[in-house]
Amino acid sequence: TLKAAQKATKSPRIEFLWYEGGSFQTKLEQSLELTFGFPAVVALSMEKSVYAVMRGSFTEKSIKKFVNSILSGKASTVKFDTLPSIETVEPWDGEDGVPFEEEPFDLDDLLSDEF
């Protein structure tokens, strides 16, 4: 989706990057107010010290519309003073994460007559 939107945009002023949300970049996520879930798209202008967050579906069409609104100056932006540094982490291996192991429990404990 992101690669398709990048190809369709074809602006030398736009660069795309991706990182896994919700893991190691919490300071960055908080400073950009990314509290609504992932995937998320954010436009940053380091030159102007502003950013804009796309609020909508993560589709090629929505991303292209968002990028075009940024380039045309129609999107509202938020000013920032500084951004936290990007944490260096191990690259994603392309595999699914390891599921958490849950402790076994007895349903009789949950369904007891004590309640």
Side-chain angles (χ1 to χ4, degrees), residues 60-110:
E60 179 183 346
K61 182 178 178 180
S62 294
I63 295 170
K64 287 191 307 188
K65 184 177 177 182
F66 174 68
V67 169
N68 288 332
S69 72
I70 294 293
L71 293 173
S72 68
K74 293 179 181 176
S76 60
T77 58
V78 178
K79 197 95 168 123
F80 65 86
D81 293 321
T82 60
L83 290 175
S85 59
I86 305 294
E87 301 293 327
T88 302
V89 298
E90 292 295 318
W92 180 46
D93 62 6
E95 300 293 321
D96 289 336
V98 178
F100 296 104
E101 286 201 31
E102 296 182 25
E103 292 184 30
F105 63 90
D106 188 354
L107 271 177
D108 289 335
D109 293 340
L110 292 175

Side-chain angles (χ1 to χ4, degrees), residues 15-69:
E15 293 183 40
F16 288 80
L17 67 94
W18 177 93
Y19 79 90
E20 177 185 12
S23 56
F24 300 103
Q25 308 298 339
T26 53
K27 290 179 183 175
L28 179 63
E29 292 166 18
Q30 289 170 350
S31 66
L32 297 174
E33 300 176 17
L34 299 178
T35 58
F36 55 86
F38 290 92
V41 177
V42 178
L44 284 170
S45 171
M46 300 306 283
E47 182 180 304
K48 296 179 181 179
S49 297
V50 296
Y51 72 93
V53 177
M54 183 183 90
R55 307 243 185 233
S57 60
F58 192 79
T59 63
E60 179 183 346
K61 182 178 178 180
S62 294
I63 295 170
K64 287 191 307 188
K65 184 177 177 182
F66 174 68
V67 169
N68 288 332
S69 72

